[in-house]
Structures are given as structure tokens and as C-alpha cells.
Amino acid sequence: MAAAAPTLPTPQREFTAAEVARHDREGDCWIMLHGLVIDITGWENSIGGGSPGTGAIHLHAGRDATDEFDALHQREYLLPPFLPARFVLGRVKGA
């Protein structure tokens, strides 16, 4: 029997896509993944390589990066220990 898909956290705080979009630069970098709002500030430069401000993740800073994430990772990477809960700020309103 196949393993069940992992259950993602369901934080109570909600953000609009417009609110997330304001966090689109080095030093203030949020992304949306599977309806979650994730603050990757401080480790965004280690994701996808590149020098500060040029890593692949910066192409999706402030936006939904779900398709790109799914192309490279299993959903389990959205759970601890891969993604510590402190980085999950909330969920996308309406997601």
C-alpha cells in the first residue's frame, strides 16, 4: 500500500498574495508553497545557488513557487526537520 501524502501544517494567520509580494528581496524574502507562506529570509541565498540576491529562489521571491518546488522536491520537504515550523508564517488567504 502506498504511503499517505504528508499533512502540511495549517497555520491560523492568513496573508493575501499582495502582502506576500511585498517581501521580494534579499533580507526580506517570503514565498508561497502549497498555500503556505514561508519566510526564507537569511537562507534564501543557499537555495538554488548563486551569490547574494541571485539564487534561483529570488526568481520566485514574493510569489508562488509551488510548481518549481514540486519539480525538484517531495512534499515532505515542507515538514520538519527539513522546514522548521518557525519559518512557516501562515497561509495564503483563500488557499
Side-chain angles (χ1 to χ4, degrees):
M1 183 179 346
T7 302
L8 298 178
T10 53
Q12 296 302 308
R13 188 164 179 201
E14 290 186 319
F15 298 90
T16 65
E19 288 174 301
V20 175
R22 291 193 296 259
H23 302 272
D24 64 349
R25 64 194 57 83
E26 183 179 2
D28 185 17
C29 190
W30 295 6
I31 58 173
M32 296 176 274
L33 294 174
H34 290 282
L36 297 175
V37 177
I38 300 170
D39 182 355
I40 61 167
T41 304
W43 50 276
E44 72 272 17
N45 291 318
S46 66
I47 302 170
S51 58
T54 65
I57 198 64
H58 284 96
L59 297 174
H60 309 290
R63 300 188 303 179
D64 191 331
T66 299
D67 290 340
E68 292 75 12
F69 178 88
D70 286 349
L72 300 169
H73 304 291
Q74 297 174 351
R75 195 174 267 201
E76 287 81 11
Y77 283 100
L78 290 175
L79 301 170
F82 303 107
L83 177 65
R86 71 181 180 274
F87 294 109
V88 179
L89 300 177
R91 57 192 162 113
V92 180
K93 190 172 188 168

